[in-house]
Amino acid sequence: MPPIVIGAHYDTAPGSPGADDNATGVAVLLELARDIASGPIKYPVQLVAFDMEEYGCLGSSHHAAKYKQQQESIRLMISLEMLGYCNHNPNSQSYPAGLKYFYPNSGNFIALIGTLRTVPDLINLSGKIRKSGQPCEWLPVPNRGLIVPDTRRSDHVPFWDNGYPAIMVTDTANMRNPHYHRGSDRIETLDLDFLAGVCQGLVEAIRYI
């Protein structure tokens, strides 16, 4: 049975403590490991901490290429990319061109970004996350996200490019978080209740993939 691959990068941008980018992703990865170890789920799961995301997704590129070289299938890859910044104020969320007309203007949701082939998983995962009480939005992009370059900024991209289904889970990075890649990306800027809600939503959603 093909595995679910769940990954988060543990490197950070030079000069940044990396609390949101990407200690939050690694923290949720570890919590998912704890939960998955507590009881079996439908698919085998591979949990991976990637290095060198900030330098061209080198770790995830190697990992995806290895799967491709060995002609192995993947049920779904999930990239955990910045999960802890939340802003409930109006107009606190920005978007790539054209998308603001379809999504909330407050940055208090977690976003799922996938390709068209992952639409059933986007619907399923977002529904389970919302049911847990965490606001969630999802965006399907055609052609490996090439028409929306901002969707190609994390460890899911090498999996897209190697033909695998993959979804990025994100608080939308600099489209919401003013501390992105700065020295001010510290734990005190995070909303830990939001992060806990994202984590709980993912715990429940992944068990029903």
Side-chain angles (χ1 to χ4, degrees):
M1 184 177 290
I4 299 168
V5 178
I6 306 174
H9 73 89
Y10 62 85
D11 65 319
T12 185
S16 174
D20 194 24
D21 185 16
N22 190 34
T24 56
V26 175
V28 171
L29 184 73
L30 294 172
E31 183 61 18
L32 288 173
R34 186 196 65 79
D35 179 76
I36 290 166
S38 71
I41 65 175
K42 182 178 179 181
Y43 288 90
V45 177
Q46 184 181 73
L47 300 160
V48 190
F50 295 122
D51 196 7
M52 305 295 280
E53 188 269 353
E54 302 290 359
Y55 294 89
C57 296
L58 300 186
S60 53
S61 292
H62 175 81
H63 202 74
K66 185 176 179 181
Y67 266 99
K68 187 74 169 181
Q69 182 181 19
Q70 296 174 350
Q71 298 183 337
E72 295 186 29
S73 298
I74 295 175
R75 166 62 184 86
L76 181 67
M77 187 274 174
I78 299 174
S79 174
L80 306 173
E81 175 62 59
M82 302 184 63
L83 307 176
Y85 192 86
C86 175
N87 190 332
H88 295 282
N89 293 326
N91 302 312
S92 57
Q93 181 69 51
S94 62
Y95 295 95
L99 292 180
K100 67 178 182 179
Y101 302 106
F102 305 99
Y103 292 96
N105 64 23
S106 296
N108 60 357
F109 59 89
I110 197 68
L112 308 181
I113 314 296
T115 52
L116 297 180
R117 69 183 292 193
T118 66
V119 165
D121 286 315
L122 289 169
I123 293 171
N124 182 29
L125 289 171
S126 63
K128 293 293 188 301
I129 291 170
R130 288 169 181 162
K131 190 174 181 180
S132 76
Q134 172 61 52
C136 182
E137 302 291 335
W138 56 277
L139 172 68
V141 291
N143 194 26
R144 295 176 289 126
L146 292 171
I147 64 170
V148 189
D150 281 322
T151 65
R152 290 180 54 86
R153 290 168 50 190
S154 191
D155 291 308
H156 59 296
V157 172
F159 291 85
W160 282 0
D161 291 346
N162 279 280
Y164 291 113
I167 291 172
M168 173 174 60
V169 186
T170 180
D171 64 17
T172 74
N174 57 299
M175 284 174 270
R176 175 188 307 177
N177 188 342
H179 309 288
Y180 175 74
H181 282 189
R182 296 186 175 185
S184 54
D185 184 10
R186 299 182 176 277
I187 191 169
E188 55 265 28
T189 69
L190 303 180
D191 185 324
L192 299 183
D193 289 335
F194 176 80
L195 178 61
V198 170
C199 185
Q200 184 58 39
L202 286 169
V203 163
E204 296 180 15
I206 288 167
R207 287 198 165 272
Y208 291 95
I209 289 179

